[in-house]
Amino acid sequence: MFNLHEQLLALQEGETAVDSDFSFDGIDSTVAKRTINAVTDKLAVDGENISDGETFSKLMCFARDLPAVEPKLAARGLDMLVTGFESQIKQVAATLAAPGHDPTQHAEALDRYAFLLQWVIERGESTPSQKRAAGAAPSTGRRRRANGTGPAGSGSGSSTVAEAIPGWKGKLLDLYLSLQQLLQLPLGRVWNSVPERDTFIGVFTRLAHKAMESSAYAKDGDLQSALFNSLCIWLQNYNGLYGLVTMITQNLQHYEHLNESMAELVRLAYEKHDGTQLADEVLRDIAGKSFSSAHDKAGPKNTARFLVRLAQLAPKALLRQMGLLIRHLDSEAHIMRSAMVDAIGHLALFLAAQEEQTEITKNQIGEYFDIISQRFQDAHFLVRAKVLQVCQFVCSGPAKFPKRRPRLIDLIVGRLEDKATNVRKHAIRALTVMLETHP
């Protein structure tokens, strides 16, 4: 019986045992091709054949020896795995739709696909292409241990095995498009226990997280959409809330290229996947943090961009937690104060665009303009410059705020004598905008 949890632990510790003397490292290309073709034919006949002992052993050898496999052949091997996984998903869907059939018969095959896909993708993404991982080296004895599954050895600037394999990113896209279909099925009927089901799903959420760490993948709109939709379905159907909150907050802490992408993810969950609680939890976490530019530059910078982008994409989500977030107007990090002013400007525009202007809405707009006015006196010149930029885009919007303009103009004129050249420059621009857009 294949136990996915145990196999993943062994893989993590570099102790996965392969019951085969076969190795793709150093063999003739014809033999390697014949081996891949034979396994492909078996999976093409029936995706369940992955549970066949010899077939699974050959696939484990393929995963272990990936750095030694010729790139075009490696591409065919990955395609074989993804296609077999897609076939298995169709079988699961058919079994679940047919009354009287036992869907648990598919659990082991799905677990085997998950294990192999994680191994292959992690090997491809973390192993430098110019080196062969230690696990691919020949050894004596029937049971061979597979090492080198982690990121160790991936030197900075070196290309990975994945980059040398044609169509790698396209296969990741196909994988996550198929996963969306699977996650929409009642998977509680496939596994006998919730932990077993969650172990399976966890493989793909971790791979999604790893994929997002790559700036090249984050810039691919189709792949990002597939990853985000899969994560949102996990959130909605399989109690993925706190796992996704942790993922988002960690990404904001460590990865500069993900700040706006995380705002896109929160918006998608909020608008299309009943993810109100996700937005609330992420924003509460941010509200509870203290930022200091002196000790942590990445954290406040990434969080600031996230908040501004979220104010543009999903202002309703931000409005729900502004009572807590407003404390960052007194943050030690000037970039957080700038972000709050920027976000408040977008929220004022959003509220002014509402068809029904209730007394509460009018009071909120008034409070936001009061905050903008107060920030003209901020101690940091970059915050004062940001306030002037906010005045420009707020007064350029559909709502012209004629009653607010005289006070803003007085404050802008006062900044014409600011000691910072950048602030004086933005003050002149703001006055120009005021003249051009006055109703």
Side-chain angles (χ1 to χ4, degrees):
M1 177 66 72
F2 182 84
N3 187 300
L4 179 59
H5 177 69
E6 292 178 359
Q7 291 295 328
L8 291 174
L9 286 177
L11 185 62
Q12 185 178 359
E13 295 168 3
E15 297 179 351
T16 301
V18 181
D19 288 325
S20 176
D21 291 327
F22 184 83
S23 173
F24 282 93
D25 190 3
I27 66 169
D28 184 76
S29 60
T30 304
V31 177
K33 186 175 181 180
R34 189 186 308 128
T35 302
I36 292 292
N37 287 344
V39 176
T40 300
D41 291 342
K42 276 207 166 188
L43 295 186
V45 172
D46 186 355
E48 290 278 352
N49 283 333
I50 196 169
S51 298
D52 172 70
E54 183 180 354
T55 301
F56 190 64
S57 292
K58 287 291 194 301
L59 288 169
M60 291 179 75
C61 292
F62 170 73
R64 181 196 62 202
D65 302 335
L66 186 68
V69 180
E70 192 270 327
K72 289 184 179 179
L73 195 57
R76 180 159 190 182
L78 178 60
D79 179 69
M80 164 188 63
L81 276 174
V82 174
T83 303
F85 184 59
E86 291 171 348
S87 171
Q88 190 62 31
I89 291 172
K90 291 176 182 177
Q91 290 187 46
V92 172
T95 301
L96 287 168
H101 289 72
D102 180 17
T104 60
Q105 64 181 303
H106 299 296
E108 182 173 333
L110 287 172
D111 283 347
R112 288 175 183 264
Y113 277 112
F115 171 73
L116 288 169
L117 285 165
Q118 172 164 326
W119 197 355
V120 169
I121 292 171
E122 285 195 345
R123 286 289 270 163
E125 297 287 0
S126 61
T127 310
S129 60
Q130 68 268 31
K131 298 177 183 178
R132 289 185 175 180
S139 68
T140 59
R142 189 166 184 271
R143 295 180 67 84
R144 303 175 56 205
R145 299 202 177 275
N147 302 309
T149 56
S154 54
S156 59
S158 61
S159 61
T160 62
V161 169
E163 292 175 61
I165 297 176
W168 178 276
K169 189 161 61 173
K171 283 296 114 186
L172 284 185
L173 174 60
D174 291 343
L175 172 61
Y176 276 90
L177 289 175
S178 300
L179 184 66
Q180 290 176 44
Q181 301 173 21
L182 181 63
L183 292 177
Q184 291 174 11
L185 300 174
L187 296 184
R189 293 171 55 194
V190 177
W191 280 271
N192 291 318
S193 69
V194 171
E196 289 176 337
R197 181 202 69 191
D198 289 348
T199 298
F200 170 82
I201 296 174
V203 168
F204 297 99
T205 57
R206 286 192 298 273
L207 288 176
H209 192 189
K210 184 172 180 61
M212 284 187 287
E213 293 175 7
S214 165
S215 57
Y217 290 167
K219 293 174 184 176
D220 188 301
D222 291 336
L223 180 56
Q224 179 174 280
S225 177
L227 293 172
F228 285 2
N229 275 295
S230 298
L231 292 172
C232 286
I233 298 170
W234 170 50
L235 164 73
Q236 189 172 14
N237 296 349
Y238 299 102
N239 301 317
L241 174 64
Y242 292 106
L244 198 49
V245 169
T246 302
M247 184 185 297
I248 291 170
T249 53
Q250 286 180 350
N251 285 340
L252 290 178
Q253 183 68 26
H254 300 294
Y255 299 102
E256 185 176 342
H257 67 278
L258 286 178
N259 43 63
E260 294 191 358
S261 295
M262 292 301 96
E264 294 275 358
L265 175 55
V266 171
R267 178 204 64 80
L268 180 65
Y270 184 84
E271 293 182 354
K272 297 185 178 180
H273 295 275
D274 194 25
T276 303
Q277 196 175 357
L278 174 68
D280 289 346
E281 291 295 332
V282 170
L283 292 173
R284 283 183 196 134
D285 182 86
I286 290 172
K289 290 182 177 179
S290 296
F291 296 96
S292 172
S293 298
H295 301 98
D296 177 19
K297 294 184 178 180
K301 182 179 179 181
N302 294 343
T303 305
R305 289 182 175 177
F306 169 82
L307 289 173
V308 173
R309 186 59 177 155
L310 191 62
Q312 297 168 333
L313 295 173
K316 283 185 180 179
L318 199 64
L319 276 168
R320 288 169 57 90
Q321 299 300 327
M322 278 301 288
L324 297 176
L325 290 166
I326 206 75
R327 63 181 290 272
H328 287 304
L329 282 169
D330 297 320
S331 173
E332 289 182 32
H334 68 83
I335 195 168
M336 287 300 295
R337 302 199 300 275
S338 288
M340 289 304 301
V341 172
D342 202 341
I344 283 170
H346 289 291
L347 294 182
L349 281 176
F350 170 74
L351 290 171
Q354 302 305 299
E355 292 184 7
E356 185 180 352
Q357 292 290 307
T358 65
E359 201 61 36
I360 295 176
T361 302
K362 291 177 183 178
N363 289 338
Q364 274 186 300
I365 294 173
E367 290 173 5
Y368 288 158
F369 271 97
D370 288 343
I371 291 171
I372 291 171
S373 299
Q374 293 164 10
R375 286 297 132 182
F376 273 87
Q377 306 299 324
D378 195 278
H380 202 287
F381 75 95
L382 288 177
V383 181
R384 299 195 299 275
K386 176 57 70 177
V387 172
L388 291 163
Q389 290 176 294
V390 169
C391 289
Q392 293 172 48
F393 76 70
V394 166
C395 291
S396 299
K400 301 305 177 184
F401 303 107
K403 294 181 180 179
R404 311 282 177 188
R405 282 174 177 252
R407 172 64 176 152
L408 289 179
I409 290 174
D410 286 343
L411 292 167
I412 293 169
V413 169
R415 288 300 101 203
L416 291 173
E417 298 180 357
D418 197 283
K419 60 184 179 181
T421 305
N422 192 36
V423 177
R424 297 197 300 271
K425 179 179 70 176
H426 283 295
I428 293 170
R429 289 179 180 174
L431 283 176
T432 304
V433 170
M434 288 289 185
L435 287 169
E436 292 174 344
T437 62
H438 200 287

